[in-house]
Amino acid sequence: MRWFESGIGYQIYPQSFLDTNGDGIGDMRGIIQKLDYFCELGVTFLWIGPIYQSPQDDGGYDISDFYHVDPRYGSDQDLKELLAKAHQKGLRILLDLVMNHSSDQHPWFLESRESVDNPKRDYYIWRKGKNGGPPNNWESFFSESAWQYDKLTDMYYMKIFSAHMPDLNWANPEVRQEMFALAKYWLDLGVDGFRLDAISHLSRDESFRDSRKRADATGFVPDWSKFSNRPKVFEYLKDFRHQVLDNRDVLAVGEVGGGASVGLARKFSDPLDGGFDLVFTFDHCWQNDSFGNDTKEDQKFEVQVDKLKAVFDRWYRGMHQDRMLVVYWLNHDHPRVLSQYGDTGVYRKESAKMLANTLYFLYGTPFIYQGEEIGMSNVTYQKISDFRDVSAQNYYKSAKDRLSKAQILKFLQRTSRINARTPMQWDDGEHAGFTTGSPWVKVNDNYLKVNVKDQMADPDSIWHHYQKVLTLRKEPKIRKAIIHGKLKWLHLRHPDIFAYSKITDELTLTVISNFRNREIEFPLGEYREIHCHNYPDLLIRNHKIVLRPYESVVVFA
Ligand code: NOJ
C-alpha cells in the first residue's frame, strides 16, 4: 500500500490559516507553528494552496513567478524550513501546481503580448476577434467571455478563468517542457507531491469554432467540453508522468472536477493514460441543488440524501477494484459543508460529527478542509464588496441587471467560495486569533462560539470527534475494513438516512447517520461495540433504533 492510501490529508488555504507578522494574511510561519496541531488531530499530509509570487487576482492561482514564494507568505527559506520540520514530524507536504495558466504579470505574458512575432507569443493562445467581439462564444468559468481583448496587438487571448489569468498554450512543446521542469524543481526540493490545478483543461477544441449550445444570461455559452477532458490532455499527462513523476514516491492528485464521469476519472488515473494517483471530482458537492439556482431564493435547499448516496455508490463501484478514491466534503472553492448538508443552529455539533462519521469510513483517502474539524460555517456578509473573490465579483456584474441586490446577496451567502476562505478561527480573541492586524477578509462572526481553543479543551467537541474518527481509521482492522472491506449499503434509497457497512472476515463496521433534524426509526442489526456516537446513548424502540436529529453512530459486529 502506498503512503497516501492509508494517509489522512488536510487542506490549508494559506492566506486564511494563521498570520504571524500582523499583515492580515496567513503565512508560512503560521503553518510551521501549527505542525504539532496537525499531528495531534491525526493528519498525515498537507495540501497547501498556491504560495508562489502572485498579484492575487484569484487567490494566488494567478502566478507571476512559479519558482518563488510570494513575500506575503514568507521566503523561499521558510518553505524549506516548513518541508524539513514537517518531514521530521512525519508529515508530508503537497503543493498546488498550477500549469493551465499564469498571471498576466508573468514575464512570459508581458513578452507574449508585445508583438505577434515575439518568441513568447506562442506561449499563450492568441486569436483575432470576430464581428467586433471575441473569437468565439465560449464562456469562462467566471461568468464572462473566455477571451480577453488586448489592444497592443488588437487580438484576444484565451483565459478560461479570470481576465488576469491567460491560459498557457500546451500545444506548444516548449510550454510543456517549462512546466515539466517546474514540477521537477519542486520535487527535487523535497515536496511530496502535488494537487494539480485545473488539469483537465490543458487542451482546447483547436478549431475554436462557436459552441452550438445555448448562451446563458451572460450572453456566452458555458460549454466546458470545448476545453475540458479533450484527447490531447491525456497525451500531455502521459508525458508528464514519464518525465516528471516516474520513479518518485510522490502523490499526484488531479483536479479533474466537474463533468468528469467515472470513465474519464479512470482514464485520468490510468497509469498508461493520465497517470494520476488520485483524482478530485465534484459530484457529491452540490446535492442540495443550490448551485446555479440564483432565482429560487425561497426554496429550501435540503440535501438529497438518496442522490448523495447514489453518487458515492457510483464512484465506489467504478473505482474500488483498482483505484483509490478521495473522500472530502469541501475545498476552498465551495461553501461550508455544515451549511450545505448539516445544521448551523441547535444541532451544529451533532450534525458536524454526523458528517465526519458518514464520510470518513467510506473507501478513500480523506482530505479535511481547514476549519471543518471545528464545524466552521458560511458567512453572512451583508455587502457584496465583502465577497473578496473574483468569481463572486464577476457573478455580481453578470447578474446585477436581472436580479435584485438582495437576491444576489442570498445566492452568494449560500454558494460563494468565500465561505470556505474566511480566516481560521483559532480562539475567541480579536479576529479569532488569526491575526493581530486587520484580516484580508472578514472573520466569521461566530468565532466566539466556534473556535479551536474552546474545542480542544472540550472532550465532547467536534474537534475531538474528528480526532477520534481519524484515530479509529488508523487501527489496522478498521483500515482494512475501509480499504479492502466490501461496501454494503443499508437501504440505499432511504431519503433521509445514510447507512452502510464495510465488511471483512474480521469485522463488520456499520455507520448509520440521520441527515434530518427530526426523529427517524431505522432497523439496527447485531452489534458488539459502539463508536463515534454523537448522542450519549442509543434509543431503541420496537427493535428499531430511533435516530434523533442528526444522530450518527459507528457500530462493530
Ligand atoms: C481551481 C482552483 O481550485 C480555483 O480556486 C481557481 O480559481 C481555479 N482552479 C483557477 O486556478
Side-chain angles (χ1 to χ4, degrees):
M1 189 184 305
R2 294 188 58 201
W3 58 267
F4 53 83
E5 294 181 331
S6 57
I8 292 164
Y10 184 101
Q11 184 192 346
I12 295 181
Y13 192 67
Q15 51 271 61
S16 300
F17 187 66
L18 179 62
D19 171 27
T20 58
N21 64 355
D23 64 358
I25 302 166
D27 47 46
M28 212 87 69
R29 302 224 67 83
I31 303 174
I32 295 174
Q33 236 181 63
K34 291 292 177 186
L35 291 175
D36 286 334
Y37 172 82
F38 303 119
C39 298
E40 210 176 329
L41 183 61
V43 163
T44 63
F45 67 94
L46 305 174
W47 151 26
I48 303 177
I51 34 79
Y52 320 102
Q53 286 186 12
S54 159
Q56 298 286 326
D57 181 58
D58 181 22
Y61 282 94
D62 50 315
I63 298 170
S64 50
D65 182 340
F66 288 104
Y67 285 89
H68 293 289
V69 170
D70 193 299
R72 74 183 58 219
Y73 298 123
S75 62
D76 294 352
Q77 195 46 42
D78 289 333
L79 177 57
K80 287 186 191 154
E81 187 180 325
L82 169 63
L83 288 172
K85 293 204 163 136
H87 288 160
Q88 272 164 21
K89 293 178 194 292
L91 280 169
R92 302 194 202 227
I93 305 282
L94 309 186
L95 293 185
D96 220 309
L97 189 64
V98 186
M99 304 200 289
N100 178 70
H101 45 267
S102 74
S103 158
D104 61 356
Q105 299 306 307
H106 193 289
W108 294 339
F109 187 75
L110 295 177
E111 278 194 48
S112 180
R113 63 186 290 241
E114 283 287 305
S115 63
V116 290
D117 50 12
N118 186 284
K120 292 280 186 292
R121 185 68 169 180
D122 206 25
Y123 267 43
Y124 296 88
I125 302 163
W126 293 95
R127 287 288 177 283
K128 282 200 171 0
K130 200 174 75 183
N131 311 325
N136 61 34
N137 62 2
W138 303 354
E139 185 174 331
S140 82
F141 289 114
F142 289 171
S143 314
E144 51 186 17
S145 165
W147 298 91
Q148 182 66 28
Y149 179 66
D150 189 13
K151 69 171 182 307
L152 261 190
T153 52
D154 187 27
M155 283 175 84
Y156 288 76
Y157 60 86
M158 193 169 180
K159 47 93 191 169
I160 60 173
F161 294 98
S162 104
H164 296 293
M165 291 151 82
D167 288 351
L168 284 158
N169 179 16
W170 273 68
N172 177 351
E174 266 180 73
V175 168
R176 302 203 291 272
Q177 284 314 315
E178 292 274 14
M179 288 295 133
F180 295 176
L182 169 71
K184 282 189 207 153
Y185 170 81
W186 289 115
L187 294 176
D188 290 344
L189 202 83
V191 312
D192 302 289
F194 301 115
R195 176 266 190 181
L196 294 110
D197 182 69
I199 203 71
S200 55
H201 309 304
L202 302 181
S203 165
R204 283 95 197 147
D205 171 355
E206 282 167 19
S207 76
F208 292 99
R209 272 198 290 268
D210 277 343
S211 167
R212 295 231 192 93
K213 295 193 175 156
R214 273 239 314 265
D216 64 15
T218 64
F220 296 99
V221 182
D223 183 355
W224 315 140
S225 70
K226 296 292 184 192
F227 41 79
S228 306
N229 310 320
R230 302 195 66 88
K232 283 217 178 121
V233 163
F234 298 97
E235 285 174 30
Y236 302 152
L237 292 178
K238 210 183 301 178
D239 286 351
F240 180 73
R241 166 136 302 269
H242 291 321
Q243 294 189 36
V244 179
L245 301 175
D246 270 359
N247 305 317
R248 299 192 197 236
D249 186 21
V250 295
L251 166 59
V253 198
E255 186 206 22
V256 307
S261 59
V262 173
L264 271 167
R266 291 189 60 79
K267 234 168 123 56
F268 275 113
S269 53
D270 187 326
L272 301 175
D273 237 318
F276 294 133
D277 303 297
L278 298 173
V279 293
F280 279 115
T281 59
F282 303 164
D283 283 6
H284 64 292
C285 293
W286 297 97
Q287 294 302 329
N288 63 346
D289 274 349
S290 68
F291 196 64
N293 279 333
D294 60 3
T295 50
K296 294 190 190 161
E297 60 180 289
D298 292 318
Q299 180 173 331
K300 193 155 177 277
F301 293 96
E302 195 174 61
V303 49
Q304 301 184 34
V305 181
D306 45 353
K307 288 203 180 152
L308 186 64
K309 285 183 285 185
V311 168
F312 284 112
D313 183 47
R314 186 168 72 243
W315 283 94
Y316 173 78
R317 278 190 288 113
M319 301 286 270
H320 84 279
Q321 58 282 17
D322 53 0
R323 302 280 202 282
M324 194 60 185
L325 284 171
V326 168
V327 283
Y328 77 104
W329 275 133
L330 78 150
N331 61 31
H332 62 292
D333 292 331
H334 296 127
R336 288 278 172 183
V337 67
L338 193 72
S339 304
Q340 279 202 302
Y341 296 171
D343 178 75
T344 55
V346 269
Y347 297 112
R348 164 181 286 277
K349 202 199 257 187
E350 288 77 7
S351 65
K353 292 179 180 180
M354 179 280 283
L355 289 168
N357 282 0
T358 305
L359 188 68
Y360 296 126
F361 292 97
L362 282 172
Y363 176 76
T365 298
F367 277 74
I368 295 163
Y369 181 72
Q370 73 182 39
E372 181 193 327
E373 73 275 28
I374 53 168
M376 281 179 64
S377 49
N378 284 356
V379 285
T380 48
Y381 293 158
Q382 296 302 323
K383 287 198 301 221
I384 306 269
S385 56
D386 285 341
F387 290 82
R388 298 199 47 198
D389 169 35
V390 59
S391 73
Q393 294 303 326
N394 280 2
Y395 163 74
Y396 169 66
K397 278 185 236 150
S398 75
K400 70 181 181 341
D401 295 334
R402 104 192 127 80
L403 298 179
S404 70
K405 251 202 179 136
Q407 281 175 308
I408 294 179
L409 255 184
K410 271 211 171 151
F411 182 68
L412 288 176
Q413 286 166 353
R414 195 172 67 235
T415 62
S416 164
R417 45 188 207 171
I418 212 75
N419 284 305
R421 298 179 179 192
T422 60
M424 181 72 179
Q425 295 166 203
W426 292 107
D427 58 40
D428 56 3
E430 208 186 355
H431 307 309
F434 162 70
T435 179
T436 53
S438 164
W440 73 272
V441 69
K442 280 193 192 162
V443 173
N444 191 321
D445 293 339
N446 68 10
Y447 71 93
L448 291 173
K449 67 171 206 255
V450 179
N451 65 67
V452 172
K453 184 166 152 250
D454 288 354
Q455 294 203 19
M456 285 184 80
D458 169 9
D460 187 42
S461 66
I462 301 168
W463 193 92
H464 279 281
H465 191 88
Y466 266 77
Q467 189 192 42
K468 261 185 234 154
V469 169
L470 301 185
T471 307
L472 209 57
R473 268 191 73 104
K474 289 181 190 156
E475 278 184 26
K477 69 175 182 193
I478 296 168
R479 176 182 296 166
K480 189 169 156 203
I482 292 172
I483 299 180
H484 303 292
K486 187 169 167 296
L487 173 68
K488 182 177 164 219
W489 292 101
L490 310 179
H491 301 272
L492 183 57
R493 295 205 174 73
H494 196 295
D496 308 305
I497 305 294
F498 195 121
Y500 60 92
S501 297
K502 297 297 316 266
I503 305 168
T504 62
D505 44 9
E506 306 173 82
L507 177 75
T508 296
L509 179 158
T510 299
V511 179
I512 306 176
S513 293
N514 178 4
F515 267 72
R516 306 296 179 209
N517 66 356
R518 57 175 194 276
E519 279 192 3
I520 298 174
E521 287 189 353
F522 195 77
L524 176 66
E526 294 286 303
Y527 65 90
R528 278 186 291 116
E529 290 171 38
I530 297 182
H531 295 271
C532 300
H533 194 188
N534 58 357
Y535 277 74
D537 51 12
L538 283 182
L539 185 58
I540 312 276
R541 199 157 58 206
N542 304 328
H543 309 292
K544 291 201 165 150
I545 173 173
V546 182
L547 293 160
R548 287 152 287 188
Y550 299 101
E551 183 163 355
S552 174
V553 65
V554 180
V555 296
F556 293 175

